[in-house]
């Protein structure tokens, strides 16, 4: 039973560039949430995708955007990268979008901005 | 706004002792409270969760208690082992019913052999 997989595992970019991160949910899950985890902090919610639509956005600017595909996989795009975007980006999947649905995380993509 | 406070930030115990981590939340409409364990270089792993219609839940050496009136919940680990050493996060769901989780700041647990 494959868990949540994310790619790439590490990425180095420079300020102003754009990046795309990818996530495949756990088998049987249809909902994907993205979180940003700064060093030494808890994860912060970016947004969630269900039925190929963004359901809710956290306190992140429009530079952060996403997409969900018919096979439930998802992408996170970040434009005009800033030094402060350096973080671990986590994808979590669940069965259904509402509360009370356990979310299972991948191992994340470590993004470093130079 | 939505907030989850977690204490302590670090915890060191001797192998075999118990460890307790406490969290408080601000949104009285929260109904779901998961706990995650994060090891170095890994993503958070769900270890136990509790819903608001239950006051306590246990799974082997791990237990969670919930006090909705006081808006706090706790993780209890008994008979700690060195492999329990990790960062532990509590979380609470958002009242928006979108599956958004609000995380605490984390507790670094060290179990000394």
């Amino acid at each position: 039973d494959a868990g949540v997989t994310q790619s790439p595992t590490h990425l180095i970019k420079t300020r102003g560039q754009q990046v795309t991160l990818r996530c495949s949910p756990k088998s049987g899950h249809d909902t994907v949430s993205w979180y940003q985890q700064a060093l030494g902090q808890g994860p912060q919610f970016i947004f969630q995708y269900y039925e190929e639509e963004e359901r809710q956005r956290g306190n992140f600017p429009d530079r952060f955007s996403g997409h969900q595909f018919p096979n439930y996989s998802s992408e996170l795009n970040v434009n005009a990268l800033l030094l402060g975007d350096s973080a671990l980006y986590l994808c979590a999947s669940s069965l259904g979008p509402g509360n009370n649905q356990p979310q299972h995380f991948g191992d994340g993509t470590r993004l470093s901005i130079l | 706004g939505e907030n989850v406070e977690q204490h302590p930030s670090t915890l060191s115990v001797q192998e075999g002792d118990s460890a307790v981590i406490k969290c408080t939340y601000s949104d009285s409409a929260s109904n779901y409270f998961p706990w995650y364990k994060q090891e170095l270089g890994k993503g958070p792993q769900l270890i136990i969760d509790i819903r608001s219609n239950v006051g306590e839940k246990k799974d082997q050496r791990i237990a969670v208690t919930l006090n909705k009136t006081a808006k706090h919940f706790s993780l209890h680990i008994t008979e700690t082992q060195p492999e329990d050493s990790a960062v532990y996060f509590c979380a609470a769901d958002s009242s928006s019913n979108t599956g958004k989780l609000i995380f605490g700041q984390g507790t670094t647990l060290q179990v000394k052999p």
Side-chain angles (χ1 to χ4, degrees), chain B:
Chain B
E2 302 164 322
N3 189 45
V4 174
E5 295 286 338
Q6 182 172 348
H7 300 281
S9 57
T10 60
L11 181 58
S12 181
V13 300
Q14 209 65 37
E15 182 178 0
D17 288 349
S18 295
V20 180
I21 303 170
K22 299 182 179 182
C23 290
T24 58
Y25 60 99
S26 60
D27 190 344
S28 57
S30 293
N31 285 306
Y32 175 66
F33 308 91
W35 285 87
Y36 289 87
K37 174 185 180 181
Q38 188 172 25
E39 296 175 295
L40 200 61
K42 298 286 189 179
Q45 175 192 4
L46 179 65
I47 55 173
I48 195 168
D49 56 14
I50 190 168
R51 291 170 174 79
S52 60
N53 59 344
V54 175
E56 184 174 356
K57 183 177 178 181
K58 189 174 181 180
D59 182 4
Q60 299 182 351
R61 297 186 297 110
I62 295 174
V64 57
T65 59
L66 171 65
N67 183 328
K68 281 222 76 178
T69 303
K71 291 193 287 186
H72 67 70
F73 56 114
S74 300
L75 177 72
H76 305 252
I77 305 175
T78 59
E79 300 173 21
T80 53
Q81 302 167 3
E83 50 265 39
D84 294 329
S85 297
V87 180
Y88 290 81
F89 291 97
C90 63
D93 66 341
S94 163
S95 59
S96 61
N97 195 30
T98 58
K100 172 184 178 181
L101 293 177
I102 313 298
F103 282 82
Q105 293 294 89
T107 296
T108 301
L109 173 64
Q110 181 186 26
V111 180
K112 299 178 181 176

Side-chain angles (χ1 to χ4, degrees), chain A residues 52-91:
Chain A
E52 301 181 47
E53 290 188 357
E54 181 182 301
R55 298 192 72 246
Q56 189 182 7
R57 170 178 291 267
N59 189 25
F60 282 83
D62 291 344
R63 299 187 296 109
F64 290 76
S65 63
H67 188 77
Q68 185 179 35
F69 299 94
N71 67 352
Y72 308 123
S73 67
S74 177
E75 288 182 350
L76 165 66
N77 302 291
V78 187
N79 295 323
L81 288 166
L82 304 174
L83 292 178
D85 295 332
S86 295
L88 180 68
Y89 288 84
L90 295 163
C91 168

